[in-house]
Amino acid sequence: MSAPEDWAGGTPAVTSALLAATTRMGPVRAGRALLRLNQASGFDCPSCAWPDPAAHDRSAAEFCENGAKAVAHEGTSRRVGADFFAEHSLTDLESRSDHWLEAQGRLVGPMIRRPGRDHYEPINWDAALDVVAEQLRGLDSPDEAVFYTSGRTSNEAAFAYQLLVRGFGTNNLPDCSNMCHESSGAALSQTLGTGKGSVTLDSLEAADLIIIAGQNPGTNAPRMLSSLERARRHGATVVAINPLREAGLLGFRNPQRVGVHVGLTPTTELAAADDSLYLQVRLGGDLALFQLVGRLLLEREAAAPGTVTDGDFVAEHTVGLDAYASHLRALDVDELLVASGLARSDVERLVDLLVASRRTVVAWAMGLTQHKHSVATIREVVNVLLLQGNVGRDGAGVLPVRGHSNVQGDRTMGIYEKPAEAFLDAIAAEFDFHPPRRHGLDVVGAVEAMREESARVFVGMGGNFVRAVPDTAVAEAALRSCALTVQVSTTLNRSHVVAGRTALILPVLGRTERDTQAGGDQVVTVEDSQGQVHASRGRIRPASAHLRSEVAVICGIGERVLGNRPSAPVVAWRDWAGDYRLIRAAIERVVPGFADFEARASQPGGFLLPHGPRDERRFDTASGRAEFTVNPLEYPRVPAGRLLLQTVRSHDQFNTTIYGFDDRYRGLKGDRRVIMVNPIDLVSLGMADGEVVDVVSEWVDGERRAEAFRLVGYPTARGCAAAYFPETNSLVPLGSRADVSRTPTSKSVVIRLERRP
């Protein structure tokens, strides 16, 4: 281990990106791909959902290290075909690491695992889709099928997929939002009337104060650092709230600036700057922190009326202030400080910054969304912003930083197990059928249903389901119990190995690849984390002539399953597969905000979807106003001798895709089975850096164990620890989930460390 970095980006990011791209793709193919990445006439990055600058303001290299690695992963020259599966049985593949599986390359033809067999075998496309249709039609109820989406599916594929599923008769449409930002959507919908963030790229860069809570841009959304750099140049202050000291929250060396590489351009200080603040909050203590901040803001306003809060905004646009204020006054300040793990002086400094700011943005990610009290925490974030009128104002608002590149677009297109009645009414009218109204299964519910064998078919549209969900042993057993599992994928991963009695691998085109159908070369659209919809055009040659597009696979299943049903939606599935403009025309008629979809999507940079709170301070809540909420104080209680664990990504990883074994920014190399613990805590536990231990989580229903993790002394908050997922997903039971949103509680796991015999 080396010392953790105190800045992100710079020459190492360029070197790592180019090495990954040229090694996996070859220099010529890599150059062609990267120069089209995130360009107005090119393809959207297949990794995170961070927005692009305006089309006229993009550089020739408009990508980050993680984006380059994602393109290299998809564009690899390695292939996984029939010979590979003939050589490697499922038993053999199960013994391989996740990194090894994913490094084998692109899947190039449909494969089937038949009941009782230990190998996948080739199957042609028509026969493969017939298997899917036969199994679906043979179910006793449509609710015995689960249709998962990872979040990288295009708008066109997502819209077709949800229509197929609802035409089949179920709302079992779990997606990766259930495991990451479901808490954000639940909290924002209640308080502001929409589950989406209100901050655009321009607005972020115009902020006076940017608070980043439970989000690590250096690893999870590196292009956000460029926006933070521009905001700093405009005078913004950056505050980090995070148990771990993260390089990407401390400073940034912009790889786009030549001076950075020759030592002439200084590091842009972010939360490490003298005028800023880095609060190493205790895991799960954010709710207490924002409650204390709200209380102190109200106290300062009472002492100097009209100088701290925005009384006009509160009076005209909100409800619930009196109950909120009364609740805060009744809380014990000492307990709030204990819960947050912070000194009062640090909290007062944060309040000073809020008072001085007239335009404040709060950004967050899974560090806030994956606790039992996550929805309440995000409601408290909104409370603080409402006090000062920081919604519906340029340079201010809420910014949930999404992960997968089109996860927000998928939800807009109807990928949701609890669809709005208005959406169901719209597709019913457009396609002349009666969609199911009963809510379906979310991710946790889907695993439980498969475990209980009340769900017998699983279809995964992208992703690595078994590695994304908690309670690994339970999840694996659940998938294996299915009569059929279908993985619509680009590369091999663990979910292909954890197969149902019959299992299909259906390989598809990646985001980077040219998609030629009967109607010619096709364009798809995506929606970024801030509501901008734009076109994406795959440009590089497909990995195999036998790949189909996700749209073609969905439409092929739709034609087989629903084509002759009198009660099915009226859809020309084959025409949709040949010309995605027909799907966009249907989206335009069904989904609000998509008027003149084709023309606006074809404009460089696309178009911004409407957002009531941001655009006109319109709040579609139960009261018709933005709502202050009252949230009981809640935080994890940790017994003596125990620690509180959060699961995190390494720098060489995107979601469940592992590119390598190094974590450059944290100074860790060659090993993912590590657990980061404050050095003082190691001493108090009688343990030492470098020891190998088992990590044991403790729950009402028993213990869960992850074996052989190396201890690393690391500057994290006292009493807190961190380790990588998916290696530690096994420590989180299905039953531990956030109130309201049901998101797994992967950021607040009570553990003990046991020496190995």
Side-chain angles (χ1 to χ4, degrees), residues 590-657:
V590 167
V591 184
F594 284 81
D596 204 16
F597 187 6
E598 193 69 37
R600 289 197 294 159
S602 66
Q603 297 171 353
F607 62 95
L608 186 65
L609 289 173
H611 187 283
R614 180 195 66 216
D615 300 338
E616 50 187 311
R617 287 185 163 174
R618 188 191 76 248
F619 304 97
D620 296 326
T621 62
S623 65
R625 295 187 173 199
E627 297 190 354
F628 285 97
T629 55
V630 172
N631 304 289
L633 174 60
E634 186 172 352
Y635 58 96
R637 271 72 168 181
V638 182
R642 305 306 192 259
L643 298 170
L644 201 58
L645 173 74
Q646 63 173 331
T647 68
V648 298
R649 298 173 184 165
S650 74
H651 180 59
D652 217 5
Q653 171 182 1
F654 183 76
N655 290 345
T656 61
T657 303

Side-chain angles (χ1 to χ4, degrees), residues 129-208:
L129 297 182
D130 286 343
V131 169
V132 180
E134 180 182 355
Q135 291 276 358
L136 289 174
R137 289 195 302 262
L139 296 175
D140 295 331
S141 164
D143 289 331
E144 292 181 344
V146 168
F147 299 87
Y148 173 74
T149 312
S150 75
R152 292 204 323 202
T153 304
S154 68
N155 287 331
E156 292 74 14
F159 187 80
Y161 193 51
Q162 65 81 28
L163 189 61
L164 160 66
V165 173
R166 294 190 166 105
F168 181 61
T170 184
N171 282 313
N172 286 349
L173 278 161
D175 74 330
C176 60
S177 289
N178 296 152
M179 294 176 285
C180 53
H181 272 288
E182 200 68 60
S183 298
S184 300
L188 296 178
S189 294
Q190 177 188 352
T191 56
L192 301 180
T194 176
K196 297 183 179 183
S198 66
V199 178
T200 64
L201 205 59
D202 289 342
S203 186
L204 175 66
E205 293 167 11
D208 296 327

Side-chain angles (χ1 to χ4, degrees), residues 2 71 111 118 177 217 256 271 306 310 330 334 346 411 531 537 545 558 560 564 645 665 712 715:
S2 58
V71 168
M111 305 295 296
D118 198 30
S177 289
Q256 301 281 349
D310 187 336
D334 289 338
D346 286 334
R411 186 59 61 91
R537 301 166 178 84
R560 286 166 170 77
N564 297 321
L645 173 74
Y665 291 153
V712 173

Side-chain angles (χ1 to χ4, degrees), residues 7-15 65 252-255 260-261 664-665:
W7 52 268
T11 303
V14 175
T15 303
E65 177 183 351
F252 177 49
R253 296 184 184 176
N254 191 335
V260 161
H261 305 292
R664 187 173 73 246
Y665 291 153

Side-chain angles (χ1 to χ4, degrees), residues 273-428:
D274 290 340
D275 64 344
S276 194
L277 190 60
Y278 201 122
L279 299 178
Q280 286 191 262
V281 69
R282 182 178 178 271
L283 278 167
D286 304 89
L287 184 148
L289 171 60
F290 280 96
Q291 286 182 328
L292 182 53
V293 167
R295 173 169 168 157
L296 294 176
L297 286 171
L298 288 169
E299 288 178 356
R300 294 197 189 188
E301 172 67 16
T307 65
V308 176
T309 64
D310 187 336
D312 291 341
F313 172 84
V314 170
E316 183 177 352
H317 295 292
T318 75
V319 296
L321 175 64
D322 289 344
Y324 165 66
S326 177
H327 172 66
L328 294 188
R329 285 193 297 269
L331 295 174
D332 180 83
V333 171
D334 289 338
E335 186 179 12
L336 292 173
L337 291 170
V338 168
S340 70
L342 299 171
R344 176 157 183 161
S345 59
D346 286 334
V347 181
E348 293 279 8
R349 282 190 62 199
L350 175 57
V351 174
D352 290 341
L353 293 171
L354 281 161
V355 171
S357 171
R358 288 295 172 262
R359 296 175 297 182
T360 299
V361 169
V362 181
W364 69 88
M366 291 188 288
L368 258 62
T369 66
Q370 293 185 322
H371 303 272
K372 182 178 183 298
H373 53 289
S374 285
V375 174
T377 299
I378 297 164
R379 290 194 296 239
E380 288 294 350
V381 170
V382 174
N383 285 339
V384 167
L385 289 169
L386 292 179
L387 279 175
Q388 296 187 288
N390 280 312
V391 175
R393 174 188 295 165
D394 189 42
V398 293
L399 179 54
V401 182
R402 311 279 177 174
H404 276 101
S405 61
N406 196 40
V407 63
Q408 185 160 293
D410 282 0
R411 186 59 61 91
T412 301
M413 293 297 107
I415 302 294
Y416 191 31
E417 76 278 0
K418 296 181 287 189
E421 288 296 315
F423 180 84
L424 295 178
D425 291 342
I427 61 171

